[in-house]
Protein backbone atom coordinates (compact mmCIF):
# COMPACT_ATOMS: atom_id res chain seq x y z
CA UNK A 1 0.00 0.00 0.00
CA UNK A 2 2.87 2.38 0.92
CA UNK A 3 4.56 1.69 -2.34
CA UNK A 4 1.41 2.51 -4.25
CA UNK A 5 1.13 5.80 -2.34
CA UNK A 6 4.70 6.77 -3.22
CA UNK A 7 4.25 5.79 -6.86
CA UNK A 8 4.14 8.80 -9.15
CA UNK A 9 6.16 11.10 -6.93
CA UNK A 10 9.26 10.30 -8.92
CA UNK A 11 7.60 11.24 -12.17
CA UNK A 12 6.42 14.53 -10.67
CA UNK A 13 9.94 15.36 -9.43
CA UNK A 14 11.53 14.42 -12.77
CA UNK A 15 9.05 16.60 -14.68
CA UNK A 16 9.82 19.55 -12.45
CA UNK A 17 13.58 18.99 -12.85
CA UNK A 18 13.38 18.86 -16.61
CA UNK A 19 11.19 21.93 -16.64
CA UNK A 20 13.95 23.82 -14.81
CA UNK A 21 16.56 22.48 -17.22
CA UNK A 22 18.46 20.60 -14.54
CA UNK A 23 20.22 17.26 -14.72
CA UNK A 24 20.61 14.66 -11.98
CA UNK A 25 24.23 15.82 -11.64
CA UNK A 26 22.98 19.34 -10.97
CA UNK A 27 20.58 18.04 -8.30
CA UNK A 28 23.40 15.99 -6.73
CA UNK A 29 25.65 19.05 -6.65
CA UNK A 30 22.97 21.12 -4.89
CA UNK A 31 21.55 18.53 -2.52
CA UNK A 32 24.74 16.49 -1.90
CA UNK A 33 22.64 13.35 -2.42
CA UNK A 34 24.14 10.57 -4.50
CA UNK A 35 22.92 10.47 -8.07
CA UNK A 36 21.91 6.84 -7.75
CA UNK A 37 19.52 7.73 -4.91
CA UNK A 38 18.06 10.59 -6.92
CA UNK A 39 17.58 8.26 -9.85
CA UNK A 40 15.92 5.68 -7.56
CA UNK A 41 13.48 8.36 -6.34
CA UNK A 42 12.58 9.33 -9.91
CA UNK A 43 11.95 5.65 -10.67
CA UNK A 44 9.87 5.29 -7.50
CA UNK A 45 12.37 2.66 -6.30
CA UNK A 46 12.34 3.75 -2.69
CA UNK A 47 13.50 0.32 -1.61
CA UNK A 48 16.94 1.34 -2.99
CA UNK A 49 17.22 4.05 -0.35
CA UNK A 50 18.93 3.34 2.98
CA UNK A 51 15.64 3.55 4.97
CA UNK A 52 12.32 5.28 5.44
CA UNK A 53 13.97 8.31 7.04
CA UNK A 54 15.99 8.91 3.90
CA UNK A 55 12.91 8.44 1.70
CA UNK A 56 11.32 11.54 3.24
CA UNK A 57 14.55 13.51 3.72
CA UNK A 58 15.91 12.95 0.20
CA UNK A 59 12.47 13.53 -1.37
CA UNK A 60 12.08 16.82 0.54
CA UNK A 61 15.49 18.07 -0.61
CA UNK A 62 14.83 17.04 -4.20
CA UNK A 63 11.43 18.77 -4.23
CA UNK A 64 12.81 21.99 -2.75
CA UNK A 65 15.60 22.05 -5.35
CA UNK A 66 13.20 21.78 -8.33
CA UNK A 67 10.80 24.34 -6.85
CA UNK A 68 8.03 22.10 -5.56
CA UNK A 69 6.28 22.37 -2.20
CA UNK A 70 8.05 19.55 -0.41
CA UNK A 71 5.59 19.20 2.46
CA UNK A 72 2.57 19.20 0.17
CA UNK A 73 4.23 16.66 -2.07
CA UNK A 74 5.06 14.40 0.85
CA UNK A 75 1.55 14.68 2.28
CA UNK A 76 -0.08 14.00 -1.12
CA UNK A 77 1.87 10.81 -1.45
CA UNK A 78 1.51 10.05 2.27
CA UNK A 79 5.23 9.72 2.96
CA UNK A 80 5.19 9.84 6.74
CA UNK A 81 7.96 10.65 9.20
CA UNK A 82 9.46 7.43 10.54
CA UNK A 83 8.50 6.54 14.11
CA UNK A 84 11.96 5.16 14.74
CA UNK A 85 15.05 7.38 14.52
CA UNK A 86 17.42 6.37 11.79
CA UNK A 87 20.76 4.74 12.53
CA UNK A 88 23.05 7.59 11.64
CA UNK A 89 26.11 5.48 12.46
CA UNK A 90 25.81 4.02 9.01
CA UNK A 91 25.90 7.35 7.19
CA UNK A 92 28.84 9.54 6.26
CA UNK A 93 29.81 12.57 4.20
CA UNK A 94 32.68 11.79 1.85
CA UNK A 95 35.39 14.10 0.55
CA UNK A 96 33.13 15.24 -2.29
CA UNK A 97 30.67 16.51 0.39
CA UNK A 98 28.04 14.05 -0.81
CA UNK A 99 26.04 12.23 1.83
CA UNK A 100 26.28 8.48 1.62
CA UNK A 101 23.99 6.50 3.91
CA UNK A 102 23.89 2.85 4.85
CA UNK A 103 27.47 2.37 3.76
CA UNK A 104 29.30 2.69 7.06
CA UNK A 105 32.51 0.74 6.87
CA UNK A 106 32.99 -2.15 9.20
CA UNK A 107 35.94 -2.19 11.55
CA UNK A 108 39.08 -3.08 9.64
CA UNK A 109 40.56 -6.44 10.55
CA UNK A 110 44.22 -6.89 11.45
CA UNK A 111 44.91 -8.36 8.03
CA UNK A 112 43.28 -5.40 6.29
CA UNK A 113 45.28 -2.99 8.43
CA UNK A 114 48.44 -4.91 7.59
CA UNK A 115 47.59 -4.77 3.89
CA UNK A 116 47.05 -1.04 4.15
CA UNK A 117 50.34 -0.46 5.93
CA UNK A 118 52.42 -2.97 3.95
CA UNK A 119 52.99 -0.76 0.85
CA UNK A 120 54.28 2.05 3.08
CA UNK A 121 56.62 -0.35 4.85
CA UNK A 122 57.90 -1.66 1.51
CA UNK A 123 58.50 1.89 0.27
CA UNK A 124 60.37 2.76 3.48
CA UNK A 125 62.57 -0.35 3.14
CA UNK A 126 63.24 0.42 -0.52
CA UNK A 127 64.23 4.01 0.36
CA UNK A 128 66.54 2.73 3.10
CA UNK A 129 68.18 0.28 0.65
CA UNK A 130 68.71 3.10 -1.86
CA UNK A 131 70.36 5.24 0.83
CA UNK A 132 72.61 2.34 1.87
CA UNK A 133 73.55 1.65 -1.76
CA UNK A 134 74.42 5.31 -2.37
CA UNK A 135 76.46 5.43 0.83
CA UNK A 136 78.32 2.25 -0.18
CA UNK A 137 79.14 3.69 -3.62
CA UNK A 138 80.37 6.97 -2.11
CA UNK A 139 82.43 5.15 0.54
CA UNK A 140 83.95 2.85 -2.08
CA UNK A 141 84.84 5.79 -4.31
CA UNK A 142 86.35 7.68 -1.38
CA UNK A 143 88.38 4.57 -0.42
CA UNK A 144 89.67 4.19 -3.96
CA UNK A 145 90.61 7.86 -4.09
CA UNK A 146 92.50 7.58 -0.79
CA UNK A 147 94.23 4.41 -1.98
CA UNK A 148 95.15 6.01 -5.29
CA UNK A 149 96.45 9.07 -3.45
CA UNK A 150 98.50 6.79 -1.16
CA UNK A 151 99.84 4.95 -4.27
CA UNK A 152 100.71 8.30 -5.89
CA UNK A 153 102.52 9.32 -2.71
CA UNK A 154 104.42 6.03 -2.67
CA UNK A 155 105.34 6.43 -6.33
CA UNK A 156 106.43 9.99 -5.63
CA UNK A 157 108.58 8.84 -2.72
CA UNK A 158 109.91 6.01 -4.85
CA UNK A 159 110.68 8.45 -7.64
CA UNK A 160 112.40 10.69 -5.15
CA UNK A 161 114.42 7.77 -3.89
CA UNK A 162 115.24 6.77 -7.46
CA UNK A 163 116.22 10.36 -8.18
CA UNK A 164 118.39 10.41 -5.07
CA UNK A 165 119.86 7.06 -6.04
CA UNK A 166 120.45 8.31 -9.57
CA UNK A 167 121.97 11.46 -8.12
CA UNK A 168 124.21 9.35 -5.90
CA UNK A 169 125.22 7.18 -8.85
CA UNK A 170 125.80 10.30 -10.91
CA UNK A 171 127.88 11.81 -8.09
CA UNK A 172 129.83 8.57 -7.79
CA UNK A 173 130.38 8.55 -11.53
CA UNK A 174 131.49 12.17 -11.44
CA UNK A 175 133.81 11.43 -8.54
CA UNK A 176 135.16 8.39 -10.33
CA UNK A 177 135.50 10.40 -13.51
CA UNK A 178 137.30 13.13 -11.59
CA UNK A 179 139.62 10.56 -10.09
CA UNK A 180 140.21 9.03 -13.50
CA UNK A 181 140.87 12.46 -14.92
CA UNK A 182 143.23 13.21 -12.05
CA UNK A 183 144.93 9.88 -12.55
CA UNK A 184 144.94 10.46 -16.26
CA UNK A 185 146.31 13.94 -15.72
CA UNK A 186 148.93 12.43 -13.49
CA UNK A 187 149.75 9.72 -15.96
CA UNK A 188 149.61 12.21 -18.78
CA UNK A 189 151.98 14.58 -16.97
CA UNK A 190 155.15 15.13 -18.93
CA UNK A 191 157.73 12.42 -18.32
CA UNK A 192 161.43 12.17 -18.88
CA UNK A 193 162.13 10.86 -22.33
CA UNK A 194 165.22 8.71 -23.08
CA UNK A 195 166.05 8.17 -26.73
CA UNK A 196 167.66 5.00 -28.13
CA UNK A 197 171.43 5.14 -27.93
CA UNK A 198 173.70 5.75 -30.83
CA UNK A 199 176.91 3.70 -30.68
CA UNK A 200 180.33 4.73 -31.81
CA UNK A 201 183.22 2.36 -30.98
CA UNK A 202 183.01 1.50 -27.27
CA UNK A 203 180.71 4.42 -26.48
CA UNK A 204 176.91 4.92 -26.36
CA UNK A 205 175.32 8.37 -26.59
CA UNK A 206 171.77 8.87 -25.26
CA UNK A 207 169.62 12.04 -25.52
CA UNK A 208 167.56 12.67 -22.37
CA UNK A 209 164.73 15.23 -22.23
CA UNK A 210 163.59 16.21 -18.73
CA UNK A 211 160.41 18.26 -18.00
CA UNK A 212 161.01 21.72 -16.56
CA UNK A 213 161.31 21.86 -12.80
CA UNK A 214 161.71 18.04 -12.58
CA UNK A 215 164.58 16.62 -10.55
CA UNK A 216 167.34 14.82 -12.41
CA UNK A 217 168.48 11.46 -11.11
CA UNK A 218 170.63 8.76 -12.68
CA UNK A 219 170.18 5.33 -11.05
CA UNK A 220 172.80 2.57 -11.60
CA UNK A 221 172.03 -0.99 -10.40
CA UNK A 222 174.54 -3.82 -10.40
CA UNK A 223 174.04 -7.53 -10.95
CA UNK A 224 177.67 -8.23 -10.18
CA UNK A 225 180.76 -6.22 -9.06
CA UNK A 226 181.55 -3.47 -11.54
CA UNK A 227 183.93 -0.52 -11.22
CA UNK A 228 182.13 2.70 -12.25
CA UNK A 229 182.86 6.43 -12.52
CA UNK A 230 180.37 9.24 -13.32
CA UNK A 231 181.68 12.64 -14.44
CA UNK A 232 179.74 15.79 -15.42
CA UNK A 233 180.41 18.01 -18.40
CA UNK A 234 181.96 20.47 -15.95
CA UNK A 235 184.66 17.87 -15.08
CA UNK A 236 183.22 17.14 -11.62
CA UNK A 237 183.25 13.49 -10.56
CA UNK A 238 179.72 12.68 -9.34
CA UNK A 239 180.49 9.06 -8.40
CA UNK A 240 183.47 6.69 -8.38
CA UNK A 241 183.54 3.18 -6.93
CA UNK A 242 182.59 -0.47 -7.33
CA UNK A 243 178.91 -1.27 -7.55
CA UNK A 244 178.14 -4.70 -6.15
CA UNK A 245 175.44 -7.16 -7.09
CA UNK A 246 171.89 -6.01 -6.11
CA UNK A 247 173.25 -2.61 -5.21
CA UNK A 248 171.84 0.66 -6.59
CA UNK A 249 173.46 4.07 -6.55
CA UNK A 250 171.31 7.18 -7.19
CA UNK A 251 173.22 10.15 -8.52
CA UNK A 252 171.54 13.58 -8.34
CA UNK A 253 172.37 15.85 -11.22
CA UNK A 254 172.19 19.64 -10.93
CA UNK A 255 170.06 21.60 -13.37
CA UNK A 256 173.06 23.39 -14.83
CA UNK A 257 174.67 20.13 -15.91
CA UNK A 258 173.98 19.38 -19.57
CA UNK A 259 175.68 15.95 -19.80
CA UNK A 260 177.26 13.18 -17.73
CA UNK A 261 179.66 10.46 -18.81
CA UNK A 262 179.68 6.99 -17.24
CA UNK A 263 182.80 4.78 -17.56
CA UNK A 264 182.75 1.17 -16.40
CA UNK A 265 185.03 -1.86 -16.58
CA UNK A 266 182.22 -4.42 -16.47
CA UNK A 267 179.29 -2.88 -18.33
CA UNK A 268 177.37 -6.15 -18.67
CA UNK A 269 176.65 -6.09 -14.90
CA UNK A 270 175.05 -2.64 -14.92
CA UNK A 271 171.56 -1.29 -15.79
CA UNK A 272 170.68 2.41 -15.99
CA UNK A 273 167.54 4.52 -15.36
CA UNK A 274 167.12 8.27 -15.70
CA UNK A 275 164.25 9.64 -13.53
CA UNK A 276 162.86 6.09 -13.36
CA UNK A 277 162.89 5.60 -17.14
CA UNK A 278 164.98 2.70 -18.50
CA UNK A 279 168.12 3.88 -20.32
CA UNK A 280 169.86 0.87 -21.93
CA UNK A 281 173.37 1.64 -23.23
CA UNK A 282 173.52 -1.43 -25.54
CA UNK A 283 177.17 -2.04 -24.77
CA UNK A 284 179.05 -4.58 -26.93
CA UNK A 285 182.03 -5.16 -24.59
CA UNK A 286 182.86 -5.09 -20.88
CA UNK A 287 184.82 -1.83 -20.98
CA UNK A 288 182.39 0.78 -22.03
CA UNK A 289 181.39 4.41 -21.66
CA UNK A 290 177.98 6.07 -22.00
CA UNK A 291 177.24 9.78 -22.49
CA UNK A 292 173.82 11.17 -21.32
CA UNK A 293 173.08 14.48 -23.04
CA UNK A 294 170.46 16.26 -20.88
CA UNK A 295 168.03 18.87 -22.18
CA UNK A 296 164.74 20.42 -20.91
CA UNK A 297 161.42 19.60 -22.57
Amino acid sequence: MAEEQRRGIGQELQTARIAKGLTLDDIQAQTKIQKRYLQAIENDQFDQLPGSFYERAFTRQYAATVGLDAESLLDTHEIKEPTVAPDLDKSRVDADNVTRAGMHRTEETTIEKTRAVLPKVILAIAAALVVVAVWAVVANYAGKTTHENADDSTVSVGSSQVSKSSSSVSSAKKSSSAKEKSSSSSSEAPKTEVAAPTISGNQSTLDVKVPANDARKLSITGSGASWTQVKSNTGAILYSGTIQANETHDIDIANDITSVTVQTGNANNLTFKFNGVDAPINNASLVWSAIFNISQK
Side-chain angles (χ1 to χ4, degrees):
M1 182 67 176
E3 292 181 1
E4 291 178 358
Q5 291 172 341
R6 290 191 295 266
R7 189 169 298 150
I9 192 172
Q11 182 64 46
E12 191 172 345
L13 291 169
Q14 184 182 52
T15 300
R17 173 178 64 78
I18 294 172
K20 281 188 169 291
L22 300 173
T23 64
L24 286 177
D25 291 327
D26 296 329
I27 301 301
Q28 175 180 274
Q30 295 183 42
T31 63
K32 308 304 178 184
I33 299 173
Q34 290 188 69
K35 183 177 178 180
R36 65 190 182 94
Y37 291 146
L38 297 174
Q39 194 168 16
I41 292 172
E42 286 188 355
N43 294 332
D44 294 328
Q45 297 174 333
F46 289 92
D47 59 333
Q48 300 296 319
L49 301 181
S52 57
F53 172 82
Y54 294 103
E55 294 175 13
R56 189 175 180 83
F58 288 176
T59 300
R60 181 186 286 110
Q61 286 180 271
Y62 194 144
T65 303
V66 296
L68 297 177
D69 186 348
E71 296 302 328
S72 174
L73 184 65
L74 293 172
D75 289 342
T76 298
H77 293 278
E78 298 183 356
I79 301 178
K80 308 294 183 181
E81 290 283 357
T83 56
V84 180
D87 184 4
L88 297 180
D89 290 339
K90 295 183 179 180
S91 65
R92 74 180 189 281
V93 178
D94 290 336
D96 56 3
N97 205 27
V98 175
T99 301
R100 291 177 170 82
M103 298 178 66
H104 183 68
R105 295 182 181 177
T106 59
E107 186 70 22
E108 290 181 333
T109 64
T110 303
I111 295 177
E112 290 175 337
K113 290 181 179 179
T114 302
R115 288 177 180 172
V117 175
L118 188 59
K120 297 180 181 179
V121 174
I122 292 175
L123 286 176
I125 293 174
L129 290 176
V130 170
V131 171
V132 171
V134 171
W135 177 85
V137 170
V138 172
N140 186 45
Y141 176 78
K144 285 184 177 179
T145 302
T146 303
H147 183 67
E148 289 175 359
N149 289 338
D151 288 344
D152 291 342
S153 177
T154 302
V155 170
S156 177
V157 172
S159 299
S160 176
Q161 291 175 344
V162 170
S163 297
K164 289 180 179 179
S165 177
S166 299
S167 177
S168 299
V169 172
S170 177
S171 298
K173 285 184 178 180
K174 288 180 179 179
S175 177
S176 176
S177 175
K179 288 181 180 179
E180 288 178 357
K181 286 182 178 179
S182 176
S183 175
S184 175
S185 296
S186 235
S187 60
E188 291 176 1
K191 292 182 178 181
T192 297
E193 294 180 5
V194 178
T198 58
I199 298 173
S200 176
N202 292 336
Q203 180 176 287
S204 299
T205 303
L206 298 87
D207 291 332
V208 179
K209 293 183 179 181
V210 181
N213 302 322
D214 273 12
R216 303 178 180 188
K217 181 184 294 185
L218 177 63
S219 299
I220 304 173
T221 303
S223 59
S226 179
W227 175 84
T228 305
Q229 184 183 74
V230 179
K231 184 188 297 185
S232 70
N233 61 299
T234 61
I237 297 175
L238 303 178
Y239 173 79
S240 180
T242 301
I243 298 176
Q244 304 296 328
N246 300 320
E247 186 179 45
T248 300
H249 281 280
D250 294 326
I251 302 168
D252 293 325
I253 302 172
N255 290 339
D256 59 343
I257 296 175
T258 59
S259 69
V260 292
T261 301
V262 179
Q263 291 180 327
T264 178
N266 195 359
N268 289 338
N269 291 335
L270 300 177
T271 57
F272 301 86
K273 285 186 177 182
F274 204 107
N275 285 351
V277 179
D278 289 336
I281 61 174
N282 293 345
N283 59 300
S285 65
L286 295 178
V287 177
W288 200 266
S289 64
I291 299 174
F292 293 87
N293 295 320
I294 306 168
S295 62
Q296 183 175 300
K297 293 179 67 175

